[in-house]
Amino acid sequence: LTREQVLRSGRGHLSPIGCYLMVEDMFFVLDVTEPYKPWLIGRELLFSAMDTIDSDGVKKRGLLLIE
C-alpha cells in the first residue's frame, strides 16, 4: 500500500495487516518504520491505498492472503 494516500507522508511500502477489527470495521497495519508505527485504517481507504501503481510504475499493488 502507499502510505502517502493514508498518512499524507512516505511512499510505497509493504506492511502486513495484523488483524481486522470487525466492530470498528478497521484494519490494524503492522508498520514498523519510525515514525509511523502500527496504525488503524478503514476498509475503503485501505483498498484505495492498495489500488495504486507500484514505485516502478509498471504493476498495481496487491494483497496477499495467507491462511
Side-chain angles (χ1 to χ4, degrees):
L1 75 107
T2 175
R3 274 196 216 112
E4 196 169 24
Q5 263 187 292
V6 179
L7 304 174
R8 304 293 179 237
S9 176
R11 299 196 50 162
H13 184 70
L14 298 174
S15 292
I17 296 173
C19 68
Y20 173 65
L21 305 171
M22 193 177 324
V23 174
E24 295 84 355
D25 193 24
M26 302 284 281
F27 290 86
F28 184 54
V29 179
L30 301 174
D31 195 334
V32 297
T33 305
E34 291 287 343
Y36 306 106
K37 301 185 181 175
W39 38 275
L40 293 171
I41 185 172
R43 179 176 14 103
E44 290 182 13
L45 187 53
L46 176 64
F47 178 80
S48 175
M50 292 173 51
D51 191 28
T52 58
I53 303 297
D54 68 12
S55 58
D56 293 336
V58 180
K59 297 181 180 178
K60 287 189 104 173
R61 299 176 191 280
L63 174 66
L64 173 64
L65 175 62
I66 300 172
E67 295 187 85

